[in-house]
Amino acid sequence: MDKEVLLGKELCNLYAINKQVHQYFKNSDVSFLSWRRQQTVKDYINFSKKNEESVAEMLRTLHINPGNTIDSIINEITDNLNEITQQTKENKALNGLGYMMSFNRLVNYHKANVENIKFILHELDEIKIG
């Protein structure tokens, strides 16, 4: 496997992350969160939408079809988020805290994938320059 193939795999994974994030949040009720935390979730969803468009364009440029790629870690995190939203609202503050902890895992996993792509793009530039 060469670095271009690795880049394609990482881009497909990032595409899957964005797609799964949209599928989860499109029907997700976060009204139990504080207004500030709801805004944080909305900002992340907007970032993910823009990121998906950029990744889709990069994949088209590379002539790669991501197919039905699914990220199992995203599945686990969104399953956990869903479980928290299904819990009784007796302890709203505790549910909100647990939700935001899982949400932070989701955001940082997403961020790590973006950083991996930046890293490999940098490596590819060094090969072309060096």
Side-chain angles (χ1 to χ4, degrees), residues 40 81 99-109:
T40 299
L81 288 169
Y99 188 92
M100 291 309 293
M101 289 169 66
S102 289
F103 176 78
N104 285 337
R105 283 185 191 93
L106 174 67
V107 170
N108 284 296
Y109 179 73

mmCIF file of all heavy atoms in Angstrom, residues 40 81 99-109:
data_model
loop_
_atom_site.group_PDB
_atom_site.id
_atom_site.type_symbol
_atom_site.label_atom_id
_atom_site.label_comp_id
_atom_site.label_asym_id
_atom_site.label_seq_id
_atom_site.Cartn_x
_atom_site.Cartn_y
_atom_site.Cartn_z
ATOM 1 N N THR A 40 -23.384 24.252 21.078
ATOM 2 C CA THR A 40 -22.142 23.527 20.792
ATOM 3 C C THR A 40 -22.426 22.358 19.854
ATOM 4 O O THR A 40 -21.696 22.142 18.882
ATOM 5 C CB THR A 40 -21.496 23.023 22.104
ATOM 6 O OG1 THR A 40 -21.193 24.152 22.928
ATOM 7 C CG2 THR A 40 -20.240 22.224 21.834
ATOM 8 N N LEU A 81 -24.701 7.828 23.004
ATOM 9 C CA LEU A 81 -25.456 9.089 23.063
ATOM 10 C C LEU A 81 -26.954 8.815 23.046
ATOM 11 O O LEU A 81 -27.717 9.419 23.810
ATOM 12 C CB LEU A 81 -25.072 9.988 21.879
ATOM 13 C CG LEU A 81 -23.685 10.619 21.923
ATOM 14 C CD1 LEU A 81 -23.349 11.242 20.572
ATOM 15 C CD2 LEU A 81 -23.591 11.652 23.037
ATOM 16 N N TYR A 99 -23.920 12.945 28.497
ATOM 17 C CA TYR A 99 -24.076 13.171 27.063
ATOM 18 C C TYR A 99 -22.896 13.974 26.522
ATOM 19 O O TYR A 99 -22.314 13.620 25.499
ATOM 20 C CB TYR A 99 -25.387 13.905 26.786
ATOM 21 C CG TYR A 99 -25.723 14.019 25.325
ATOM 22 C CD1 TYR A 99 -26.502 13.049 24.705
ATOM 23 C CD2 TYR A 99 -25.283 15.083 24.552
ATOM 24 C CE1 TYR A 99 -26.826 13.131 23.354
ATOM 25 C CE2 TYR A 99 -25.585 15.182 23.207
ATOM 26 C CZ TYR A 99 -26.363 14.201 22.615
ATOM 27 O OH TYR A 99 -26.670 14.291 21.281
ATOM 28 N N MET A 100 -22.530 15.035 27.232
ATOM 29 C CA MET A 100 -21.435 15.880 26.756
ATOM 30 C C MET A 100 -20.089 15.158 26.812
ATOM 31 O O MET A 100 -19.230 15.382 25.957
ATOM 32 C CB MET A 100 -21.381 17.193 27.544
ATOM 33 C CG MET A 100 -22.559 18.118 27.254
ATOM 34 S SD MET A 100 -22.876 18.446 25.496
ATOM 35 C CE MET A 100 -21.415 19.373 25.042
ATOM 36 N N MET A 101 -19.924 14.258 27.744
ATOM 37 C CA MET A 101 -18.675 13.489 27.792
ATOM 38 C C MET A 101 -18.570 12.597 26.555
ATOM 39 O O MET A 101 -17.520 12.525 25.913
ATOM 40 C CB MET A 101 -18.607 12.674 29.081
ATOM 41 C CG MET A 101 -18.399 13.553 30.315
ATOM 42 S SD MET A 101 -18.622 12.697 31.877
ATOM 43 C CE MET A 101 -17.267 11.546 31.833
ATOM 44 N N SER A 102 -19.675 11.940 26.198
ATOM 45 C CA SER A 102 -19.667 11.106 24.988
ATOM 46 C C SER A 102 -19.562 11.971 23.742
ATOM 47 O O SER A 102 -18.880 11.606 22.778
ATOM 48 C CB SER A 102 -20.937 10.252 24.930
ATOM 49 O OG SER A 102 -20.888 9.248 25.902
ATOM 50 N N PHE A 103 -20.222 13.112 23.757
ATOM 51 C CA PHE A 103 -20.144 14.046 22.633
ATOM 52 C C PHE A 103 -18.697 14.493 22.426
ATOM 53 O O PHE A 103 -18.212 14.550 21.295
ATOM 54 C CB PHE A 103 -21.060 15.245 22.890
ATOM 55 C CG PHE A 103 -20.985 16.305 21.833
ATOM 56 C CD1 PHE A 103 -21.634 16.142 20.618
ATOM 57 C CD2 PHE A 103 -20.259 17.468 22.048
ATOM 58 C CE1 PHE A 103 -21.561 17.118 19.634
ATOM 59 C CE2 PHE A 103 -20.177 18.450 21.072
ATOM 60 C CZ PHE A 103 -20.831 18.271 19.866
ATOM 61 N N ASN A 104 -17.982 14.781 23.518
ATOM 62 C CA ASN A 104 -16.568 15.176 23.419
ATOM 63 C C ASN A 104 -15.728 14.061 22.806
ATOM 64 O O ASN A 104 -14.814 14.328 22.024
ATOM 65 C CB ASN A 104 -16.020 15.566 24.791
ATOM 66 C CG ASN A 104 -16.509 16.919 25.246
ATOM 67 O OD1 ASN A 104 -16.892 17.755 24.441
ATOM 68 N ND2 ASN A 104 -16.525 17.126 26.550
ATOM 69 N N ARG A 105 -16.039 12.809 23.149
ATOM 70 C CA ARG A 105 -15.331 11.685 22.522
ATOM 71 C C ARG A 105 -15.561 11.680 21.017
ATOM 72 O O ARG A 105 -14.636 11.458 20.233
ATOM 73 C CB ARG A 105 -15.798 10.363 23.121
ATOM 74 C CG ARG A 105 -15.239 10.063 24.461
ATOM 75 C CD ARG A 105 -15.639 8.667 24.952
ATOM 76 N NE ARG A 105 -15.288 8.533 26.339
ATOM 77 C CZ ARG A 105 -16.107 8.788 27.352
ATOM 78 N NH1 ARG A 105 -17.355 9.153 27.132
ATOM 79 N NH2 ARG A 105 -15.689 8.659 28.595
ATOM 80 N N LEU A 106 -16.802 11.913 20.629
ATOM 81 C CA LEU A 106 -17.163 11.946 19.210
ATOM 82 C C LEU A 106 -16.397 13.049 18.490
ATOM 83 O O LEU A 106 -15.768 12.809 17.450
ATOM 84 C CB LEU A 106 -18.671 12.165 19.064
ATOM 85 C CG LEU A 106 -19.206 12.372 17.654
ATOM 86 C CD1 LEU A 106 -19.052 11.093 16.840
ATOM 87 C CD2 LEU A 106 -20.660 12.794 17.712
ATOM 88 N N VAL A 107 -16.431 14.246 19.025
ATOM 89 C CA VAL A 107 -15.758 15.386 18.403
ATOM 90 C C VAL A 107 -14.256 15.131 18.297
ATOM 91 O O VAL A 107 -13.646 15.382 17.244
ATOM 92 C CB VAL A 107 -16.043 16.690 19.190
ATOM 93 C CG1 VAL A 107 -15.158 17.827 18.706
ATOM 94 C CG2 VAL A 107 -17.519 17.063 19.092
ATOM 95 N N ASN A 108 -13.664 14.623 19.348
ATOM 96 C CA ASN A 108 -12.212 14.415 19.327
ATOM 97 C C ASN A 108 -11.799 13.250 18.436
ATOM 98 O O ASN A 108 -10.733 13.296 17.826
ATOM 99 C CB ASN A 108 -11.677 14.273 20.744
ATOM 100 C CG ASN A 108 -11.614 15.630 21.407
ATOM 101 O OD1 ASN A 108 -10.864 16.488 20.970
ATOM 102 N ND2 ASN A 108 -12.435 15.848 22.417
ATOM 103 N N TYR A 109 -12.633 12.241 18.308
ATOM 104 C CA TYR A 109 -12.341 11.169 17.362
ATOM 105 C C TYR A 109 -12.391 11.722 15.938
ATOM 106 O O TYR A 109 -11.524 11.439 15.120
ATOM 107 C CB TYR A 109 -13.340 10.020 17.545
ATOM 108 C CG TYR A 109 -13.108 8.883 16.578
ATOM 109 C CD1 TYR A 109 -12.026 8.025 16.739
ATOM 110 C CD2 TYR A 109 -13.960 8.682 15.496
ATOM 111 C CE1 TYR A 109 -11.807 6.993 15.847
ATOM 112 C CE2 TYR A 109 -13.739 7.655 14.607
ATOM 113 C CZ TYR A 109 -12.660 6.812 14.786
ATOM 114 O OH TYR A 109 -12.438 5.792 13.897
#
